[in-house]
Each structure stands twice: as C-alpha cells, then as structure tokens.
Amino acid sequence: MIFKVYYQENANEVPVRENTKTMYIEAESQVEVRKKLSERKINIEFIQKVDGAYLEYEILNEDYKVLEI
C-alpha cells in the first residue's frame, strides 16, 4: 500500500500549513510508516492511505516519488 505523509521538517516548531510537505511511503500500515520514519526529526501531521482513483491522480503529479526506506 502507498501512504501519503503530511509533515513539517522541524519537529520543534508549531505546524504552519504553508510549511507542510508531503512524501509517499510504501508500507503495510500506518504503524509501519511511523516506524520507518521514526529516526527522522520531522513532525508527522497526518498519514493517509492512497489507492484507487486518488492514487492514479497522485501519480500524475510531478512531485510523486515513493521513498525507499
């Protein structure tokens, strides 16, 4: 499964929508995504499963790239 992770690069600052970034991770569950990202110093705001038509739409985005962790 592919998950879209919304995050802030600095875990010590208050989240600001304009600074929210996204990344795509392949994992079996949201728990696995959090484990894969646990060593990174980021503030995870939201993890969303991406599939079906939504995944097809995201693939068309030029920024779409699944991270290999």
Side-chain angles (χ1 to χ4, degrees):
M1 290 183 273
I2 302 294
F3 290 89
K4 185 174 185 178
V5 179
Y6 296 84
Y7 69 97
Q8 301 282 321
E9 287 187 334
N10 191 340
N12 297 323
E13 292 182 1
V14 176
V16 177
R17 179 170 298 279
E18 290 79 17
N19 296 335
T20 299
K21 299 188 181 201
T22 60
M23 70 173 82
Y24 301 90
I25 306 277
E26 185 171 356
E28 293 298 317
S29 67
Q30 289 187 16
V31 173
E32 186 179 343
V33 171
R34 288 189 182 276
K35 285 180 183 177
K36 287 182 174 187
L37 297 175
S38 64
E39 292 185 14
R40 295 182 182 216
K41 303 297 182 201
I42 60 174
N43 181 7
I44 298 173
E45 292 181 30
F46 186 68
I47 300 174
Q48 180 178 19
K49 181 179 171 186
V50 181
D51 60 1
Y54 185 40
L55 178 59
E56 292 174 21
Y57 173 78
E58 290 291 336
I59 290 172
L60 297 176
N61 185 348
E62 63 185 39
D63 295 331
Y64 179 81
K65 179 179 160 186
V66 178
L67 295 179
E68 299 292 328
I69 299 177

